[in-house]
Each structure stands twice: as C-alpha cells, then as structure tokens.
Amino acid sequence: MAIYHLSMQIISRSKGQSAVAAAAYRSGERLTDERTGEEKFYRRNVQPDTMILTPSNSPEWVQDRAQLWNEVERNEKRKDSQLAREMNIALPRELSNEKQKELLQTFVQHEFVDKGMIADVAIHRDDLENPHAHIMLTMRTITKEGFGKKERNWNADFANSKENNHGFVKSSDNCLDIRERWAYHANQALENEGIQERISHLSHEARGLEELPTVHLGHVANSMEKDGKASERGNINRDRREYNALVVDLQKYREEKKALEDMKALEQVQKKKPESFNTVVERTELKEAANYLKAEPTFDNIEKRRQQLDRWEAQINNNDQYIRWKDDSIREASEQFRWMKVYQNQMQEAQQRLNSLNWMNPLKRKNNLRIKEESERIIANAKDQLTFHDEKLTYYRDKLGFNTEQELIQIKNQHEIERPKLIHQNQFKRKEIRFERDAFKKAETALKNAFIREIASKYPEQPELPYMSFKTAQKIDTIMTKKGHTDFPLERIQQMLQMNRTKIDALKNEIQLTKGFRSRLERGEEYLEKYEKYKLVVEKIETNPFLKGKTFVSRSAKEEYDQAITMREHFKELLKKEGITGLDDLKKQRTSLEKIEETVPHIQAKIKPLENGVDLLESVIQGMEQANREMMRKNKNKEQTKNKRISKELYNVLE
C-alpha cells in the first residue's frame, strides 16, 4: 500500500548542526568540514542513490557535494545561521527504483530547482519496506559568481512541519501546497504505471476516514524494529494496524456506496448536459489540448499553462545564452593563452640575443648596445603583455574552473561533446512549446466558437448571430445574466437603449437645474446687495429735511436722488424676475439649494452604471450589425463560388 509521508526541517547552527555533516550522512560520502577541519563519514550498508540538481545559471563547482556545502557554510557568518532546508519524503513502494528516482527528480526540478534552489537529493533503500528520500535545499540565490543574498520569497514555501499524533500537519498554507503537490506528482506516476494505489496529503480525519494513521518510524526506530527490538513508534503502529483491520471492511463498504452514489449523480448531470456546440474537428483539437493540460481545456487552464510555457521558454533562452557564453569564454581564454605563448617566445628570443652578445670585441660595442637596448625593450613589453593577458585569464579561470591550459583544453573538449546535445535538447523543448501553443490557440478558438454557437442557439430567429464575434457573444451573455434570463429577447435591446438614454437625460437635467438654481441665487444675491444700497440712499435723503430740501435747490442733489430711486426700482424688478422677494426669502432658498445639492452625488452615481449599460447595449447592436455584414459577405462568396462551379460545368458540357 502506498504510504504518504512528507516532513520538513531547517538545518541550523543554533541546533549544533552542520550542512556538511548533514550532506555526508544523507549521501554516504566522506566529506571534510573546512570550517572545523573535521572529516564527516557515516557508513551505510546500502549506498544511497544521490544526485545534485541545479538551476541553469549555476557554476559547475556546485556539482561537487563537498565544495557546495562548504561554500554554504562560508557564506553564513552568524553563529545561529540557517544553513539549509531539508525534506524527508516516503517514496511509493509500488514503483520501481528507476521510476521512484524519475518521480523524485521531476518533483524537485519543478517545485524547487526551477525557482532557483540547488537540491542535493539522496534516496535511502536500506529498508525495502521504507524507501525514502532526503532533499537538502540551499537558501541563497546562485549566479555564475557564486551565492548571493538569501531569497526571502522562498521562506513562505517552507515551515517546520511535523506530523502530530492525529496525522495533522502544523504548517503554513504554502507548506500545505508543497504536501499537496507531492501527492499530485506521486499519484501521476502511479497512474502512468497503471497502479491503482493513490496517496493523499490530507489527514485521515480531513478525508473522513476512521482508520488511524501510522507514524513515520525514523532511522532509529526502524533499526530497532529490524533487530527485533520493540520501539515506541513501532508499538503505536502495531496498535493502529490492529484497529484499522477491524474498520477496513466498514470503510470499504462506505467507499463503494459513495462511488455508486457519485456515479448516479454523474449520470444525472450527463443527462442534463446540453448538446456539444463544437464540430468534430474542434472536439479533436480540445482533446489534444486536454492531453497537454492533463485537465479540462478551459480559458483559465490554458492561460495558466501559457504562463508556465513562458517561464519554460525563458529558462531555455537562459540555457542558450549560457552555451553561447561558454563558447565565447573558451575561445577568449584560448586566445589569451595563444598571446601568452607569442610573448613568451619573444622573451626567449630576446634573451638568447642578449646571451649571444660578444662584449670582448670593441668594434661591436655600439651594435651590441643597440641590440641590448632593443632586446630589453622587447622583454619589458613582453612581461607587461604577459601580465595583462594573465589578468584577463583570471576571470575565465574563475568562471570556467581551470588553472592550466591543459585543464582548459579538457573543458573545451568536454563542452564540444556536450554542446550538440544541449543545443538539440533546447531545440526539442522549443518545438514542444510551439506544438503546445498551437494546440492551445486552436482550443481557444474552439471554445470561443462553441460559446458563440451556444448563445446563437437561443435566438434561432436571428440568422446572423452565428457570425458574431466572441466579444459580442460575451456581452449578450452579460445582458442575459443581468436580466436573469437565458433567452433574453434581443429586440428589447433597442428599447432598453432608448430607456437608458432617457433616464440619463432626465438625471443630467436634474443636475443642470440644480446648477441653474445656484446661478439664479448668485445673481439674486448680487441684485439684493445693490437694491439695499440704493434703498438706503433714498431713505437717507427722504428722512433728512436738510438733504430733502437740498434736492429742491441743487440740481446735482436732485439728480443723485432721482438716480437712486431709479436704480432701486431697477434692481427690485430684477429681484422679482429671479423670484426673490427679499433677504429672508434668499436665505430660505439657499437652504433649499443646499438640500438639493446633497442629492447630486447620488444622481451622478446613478448615471455611471446607466452610461455603462448604454455602452454595452450600443456595442451589442454594433456587433450584431457587423455579424449581419459578415453573414452577407460569406453568403455572397458562397454564391460566387457556386456560380463559378456552374459556369465551369456548363463550359465542360459545351466543349
């Protein structure tokens, strides 16, 4: 029976742990901890099956287990540093060793390595009944230059996770996702091998099972049980298996009953399922997309897979870029060695000329001095050039991992062997991506066509609708959903459009009237102010005998008095036209205006959805008009094709 077990932990110095020691224990290799100078080795009866999986941008040295984990230790300076994450996973016993390894490699690559982590994997088969894997994961980003910063985004995917006595897992939602994804990968592998067994990341209680879950033995309890010694965990499992044996028949009956009920429910759903609106060709295209998706071909599923393909293609591009970089780096490093040989030869030749000079002959002294000066100049220049090219080689030594020219030649030869295979793999992957994208494009077209036909089928009296666009069909479906009808009559769209426009005009008119009300009161306020001004002038003259008498003897006083009366009556008339009788009336109307203006935001809020509705209805009408034109165009093309065929047949008869 396939067993589910997945636990996680952090390997940390605060617990007295060492990444090198942990890797040595899990891999069964002899490793030296360079930080402490201790050699770590744990003998195993069965050598673990190990592998190191790395992101495409990793340097080659990470494939060396000792160098990898010593480098991790060097990058962590704190005494309580977290060094690595580890997962312990039980492998399905129903699968062969090869298939177990293939399953594990796929899971680790997709879930961790593709995100940028380095995974050191060790499969332990000491106990045939308990095959399991240890996965050590790095916590820092990796580049060609080495480890960078810790990636905090990975923290959400992990939490200390231990099964309690009830089989539950205390972890974050993301931790649950990892447990669920392992169950998915394992069940896919079991299904591919035609094995009926399945595992579940859920606890027995969450699945409604009465069986008690067994606990993971661990290497200590497992060794005791193998030696015939009872362990606490072994006793727990024996008690639980005895209990489970009593309820298994009842559980089996319940499962069979539920399966029968589910089958009946499915039959009822299938009876109610509407007839497919896809053609035979489209159904084939949808089936092909389903094979790629391993799920129902829906717009959401296709879009999610497209995003995965984008990431996959980006990784392939990085692989291509790395191959080109390695080509250029090997070529450039070789070129530096070539130049160094040139300047070394120049130095040797110049030195030989110096050594061959005969200083005993005074007649050759002048010529010897010239040769000496020239040779020393050549030697000095050659030394500078050798230093220059050696410094350039430093970069390639670090990146390519060589010290001597012979080592570079070995790297070059190995790269020339691997390069065609890598290029072929990338080309093959790109081809696969292209096939998938083509399949998804056809599937999307098939889904859109089916949706258009389904909407059009509700309106058999509208022959142009099968020619409408997918967007128009979506908008008609939106209208039907809003109105709560599955067959909303399309002739009402024009009526709804006119009604909405009328409502919008009425609401906008209310806002405009409010604005007019405010403008009227603002004018009235100005008129009232001037009315009161001239009214005071008239009253002042009429209540003062001196000023009143002055109007009889002074022409200018008389004109001022008459003008004040005229302006008072003028503004009084204007106030009357604005519907304002005085200051109290103006205040009263201002209060009314404030109440009316409070309703303006509510009116504007009503206008917005009505305008959206108008846009929707107008676009549907335009879409239907476009569909009608498309129908007429295609019918015309059919008629022309038919006429050509008839003409050709007639011509053949006359011939």
Side-chain angles (χ1 to χ4, degrees):
M1 176 181 178
I3 296 173
Y4 184 95
H5 170 77
L6 187 152
S7 60
M8 309 176 197
Q9 70 164 334
I10 297 291
I11 297 173
S12 172
R13 284 201 191 120
S14 62
K15 302 175 186 176
Q17 296 171 315
S18 159
V20 177
Y25 171 76
R26 285 147 184 79
S27 66
E29 290 185 12
R30 192 182 302 272
L31 304 178
T32 299
D33 189 336
E34 296 175 2
R35 189 169 65 92
T36 63
E38 297 175 344
E39 185 177 75
K40 306 293 184 180
F41 178 62
Y42 304 88
R43 189 179 303 280
R44 290 187 170 276
N45 295 329
V46 179
Q47 182 62 25
D49 190 355
T50 64
M51 54 185 163
I52 297 178
L53 303 179
T54 64
S56 58
N57 61 336
S58 303
E60 292 184 1
W61 58 260
V62 299
Q63 291 293 335
D64 184 322
R65 184 167 284 106
Q67 190 172 354
L68 168 63
W69 294 112
N70 273 301
E71 188 65 26
V72 167
E73 291 280 357
R74 272 193 291 274
N75 275 272
E76 304 301 338
K77 309 300 183 184
R78 295 164 58 95
K79 64 181 179 180
D80 60 347
S81 292
Q82 294 182 340
L83 304 171
R85 298 184 179 92
E86 187 204 20
M87 301 178 66
N88 186 311
I89 300 178
L91 301 174
R93 291 176 296 179
E94 291 76 8
L95 297 175
S96 66
N97 290 357
E98 182 182 350
K99 291 299 180 182
Q100 287 175 354
K101 184 175 181 180
E102 182 180 325
L103 159 64
L104 190 62
Q105 187 171 0
T106 301
F107 171 67
V108 173
Q109 182 70 39
H110 287 184
E111 305 302 339
F112 307 116
V113 178
D114 286 350
K115 293 180 181 179
M117 306 176 210
I118 299 173
D120 188 355
V121 183
I123 301 175
H124 291 181
R125 307 190 192 278
D126 306 70
D127 182 359
L128 295 178
E129 296 300 313
N130 183 31
H132 62 279
H134 295 269
I135 305 167
M136 288 179 63
L137 300 165
T138 55
M139 307 182 77
R140 292 180 178 271
T141 57
I142 188 71
T143 65
K144 295 298 180 183
E145 288 73 26
F147 285 111
K149 294 182 179 180
K150 282 191 175 179
E151 179 53 71
R152 304 300 178 188
N153 292 331
W154 296 341
N155 291 344
D157 286 340
F158 296 92
N160 289 338
S161 173
K162 296 182 180 179
E163 294 188 15
N164 61 22
N165 292 335
H166 303 289
F168 294 123
V169 173
K170 295 179 180 179
S171 63
S172 65
D173 291 339
N174 289 318
C175 175
L176 181 61
D177 289 342
I178 292 173
R179 294 173 57 81
E180 185 175 2
R181 292 199 289 270
W182 166 247
Y184 170 78
H185 282 278
N187 288 332
Q188 283 289 107
L190 290 167
E191 182 181 348
N192 292 340
E193 294 302 304
I195 299 170
Q196 297 301 317
E197 293 287 346
R198 295 293 182 270
I199 64 174
S200 174
H201 64 289
L202 299 174
S203 66
H204 283 8
E205 182 176 339
R207 288 185 286 158
L209 300 180
E210 294 184 15
E211 293 182 70
L212 295 176
T214 56
V215 297
H216 182 63
L217 288 178
H219 68 279
V220 176
N222 190 52
S223 297
M224 291 176 62
E225 293 290 330
K226 284 176 65 178
D227 294 337
K229 299 177 183 178
S231 65
E232 182 181 352
R233 286 176 172 258
N235 290 335
I236 292 172
N237 284 346
R238 276 185 284 275
D239 291 340
R240 293 189 176 189
R241 289 192 186 100
E242 184 178 349
Y243 172 82
N244 292 341
L246 297 175
V247 299
V248 68
D249 290 338
L250 176 61
Q251 189 64 46
K252 185 176 180 182
Y253 164 76
R254 288 177 175 173
E255 290 175 352
E256 290 176 351
K257 181 181 178 182
K258 187 176 184 304
L260 184 61
E261 290 173 350
D262 291 344
M263 187 177 296
K264 289 182 178 179
L266 180 61
E267 289 175 355
Q268 292 296 325
V269 171
Q270 289 175 340
K271 288 179 181 179
K272 296 179 181 179
K273 189 176 180 179
E275 182 181 355
S276 173
F277 291 96
N278 282 117
T279 64
V280 175
V281 173
E282 288 172 345
R283 284 197 288 272
T284 302
E285 292 169 345
L286 289 170
K287 186 176 180 181
E288 183 180 359
N291 291 336
Y292 281 119
L293 292 168
K294 306 299 183 194
E296 181 185 357
T298 63
F299 291 115
D300 287 342
N301 288 343
I302 289 173
E303 181 56 30
K304 287 178 183 177
R305 181 56 181 164
R306 276 207 180 106
Q307 292 174 3
Q308 292 174 346
L309 292 177
D310 289 342
R311 292 193 291 271
W312 188 15
E313 190 170 37
Q315 183 180 351
I316 294 171
N317 291 336
N318 288 338
N319 292 343
D320 279 345
Q321 188 175 357
Y322 175 69
I323 292 171
R324 289 193 294 272
W325 172 86
K326 197 163 186 178
D327 288 342
D328 294 340
S329 297
I330 291 173
R331 182 172 57 254
E332 186 64 24
S334 300
E335 185 69 8
Q336 303 310 315
F337 275 119
R338 187 185 70 80
W339 278 110
M340 289 180 74
K341 287 179 181 177
V342 169
Y343 289 111
Q344 284 170 353
N345 290 336
Q346 287 183 4
M347 284 180 64
Q348 290 174 1
E349 291 173 359
Q351 190 62 48
Q352 287 174 1
R353 286 196 295 272
L354 284 174
N355 295 338
S356 64
L357 291 177
N358 182 6
W359 295 97
M360 301 300 294
N361 188 347
L363 297 177
K364 293 185 177 181
R365 180 175 179 77
K366 185 176 181 180
N367 186 54
N368 287 347
L369 287 172
R370 182 183 59 77
I371 294 173
K372 179 177 180 294
E373 183 181 349
E374 179 65 18
S375 298
E376 288 175 346
R377 185 187 63 77
I378 291 173
I379 291 172
N381 179 66
K383 285 181 178 179
D384 290 341
Q385 290 297 323
L386 285 171
T387 301
F388 170 75
H389 290 289
D390 188 62
E391 287 176 353
K392 291 191 72 174
L393 273 173
T394 300
Y395 169 81
Y396 299 108
R397 287 191 186 101
D398 292 341
K399 298 301 180 183
L400 296 174
F402 68 88
N403 289 314
T404 65
E405 184 177 10
Q406 187 59 37
E407 290 176 356
L408 175 63
I409 292 172
Q410 291 175 357
I411 292 172
K412 179 181 178 182
N413 293 339
Q414 183 63 30
H415 179 60
E416 288 176 350
I417 294 171
E418 295 174 351
R419 187 176 184 278
K421 181 181 177 182
L422 294 174
I423 292 174
H424 176 74
Q425 286 177 347
N426 287 348
Q427 290 173 344
F428 178 76
K429 289 175 182 177
R430 277 202 173 85
K431 197 173 184 181
E432 283 185 321
I433 290 173
R434 186 170 67 253
F435 286 158
E436 278 199 51
R437 283 184 170 151
D438 289 344
F440 294 151
K441 185 176 181 181
K442 292 176 182 177
E444 273 191 333
T445 301
L447 290 172
K448 290 178 179 180
N449 289 341
F451 184 74
I452 291 170
R453 294 178 191 125
E454 183 179 1
I455 298 299
S457 69
K458 302 179 187 299
Y459 304 98
E461 72 283 357
Q462 304 280 153
E464 75 278 8
L465 287 189
Y467 299 90
M468 66 182 161
S469 68
F470 177 64
K471 287 185 178 180
T472 301
Q474 283 181 309
K475 289 170 182 175
I476 293 175
D477 182 60
T478 300
I479 294 172
M480 290 191 296
T481 303
K482 284 184 177 180
K483 296 301 177 181
H485 298 290
T486 57
D487 55 350
F488 182 78
L490 295 182
E491 58 269 16
R492 284 192 55 193
I493 289 180
Q494 194 66 47
Q495 299 172 1
M496 289 172 59
L497 180 61
Q498 188 57 44
M499 287 171 56
N500 281 3
R501 284 174 174 166
T502 302
K503 288 179 182 177
I504 290 171
D505 290 342
L507 292 171
K508 286 184 175 180
N509 187 53
E510 286 186 39
I511 295 175
Q512 196 60 40
L513 288 173
T514 303
K515 291 180 179 179
F517 193 175
R518 169 164 287 282
S519 298
R520 181 175 64 81
L521 292 186
E522 288 174 351
R523 290 194 303 273
E525 187 175 3
E526 182 182 350
Y527 297 157
L528 182 61
E529 182 182 352
K530 292 180 178 179
Y531 168 75
E532 292 293 339
K533 173 185 173 182
Y534 289 110
K535 180 183 175 184
L536 286 174
V537 172
V538 172
E539 289 177 350
K540 182 178 179 182
I541 294 173
E542 290 180 345
T543 56
N544 189 321
F546 174 76
L547 294 176
K548 181 69 174 176
K550 192 176 180 180
T551 60
F552 292 106
V553 296
S554 172
R555 185 175 180 179
S556 60
K558 172 66 173 173
E559 289 178 350
E560 181 183 355
Y561 176 61
D562 291 342
Q563 184 182 15
I565 293 174
T566 302
M567 296 305 295
R568 182 192 65 181
E569 295 304 315
H570 171 69
F571 286 111
K572 183 178 181 180
E573 188 64 26
L574 289 176
L575 282 169
K576 185 177 180 181
K577 288 182 180 180
E578 298 296 346
I580 298 172
T581 59
L583 181 60
D584 291 339
D585 184 39
L586 178 63
K587 291 179 179 179
K588 190 175 181 181
Q589 291 195 42
R590 276 181 186 160
T591 302
S592 299
L593 174 63
E594 289 173 357
K595 291 181 180 179
I596 293 172
E597 285 184 331
E598 287 177 358
T599 65
V600 170
H602 301 288
I603 295 173
Q604 291 172 333
K606 290 180 181 179
I607 291 174
K608 187 62 178 176
L610 287 172
E611 287 179 334
N612 292 339
V614 166
D615 293 340
L616 177 63
L617 296 169
E618 285 180 340
S619 63
V620 168
I621 291 173
Q622 293 171 0
M624 292 171 64
E625 291 172 350
Q626 178 62 34
N628 187 58
R629 289 193 293 270
E630 183 66 14
M631 179 185 69
M632 294 175 64
R633 185 184 69 79
K634 289 193 174 182
N635 288 341
K636 183 178 179 181
N637 289 343
K638 288 180 182 178
E639 188 66 27
Q640 289 175 346
T641 303
K642 181 180 177 181
N643 291 338
K644 287 180 181 178
R645 180 174 54 80
I646 293 173
S647 299
K648 187 175 181 180
E649 291 175 354
L650 182 61
Y651 176 79
N652 291 337
V653 170
L654 293 175
E655 283 291 315

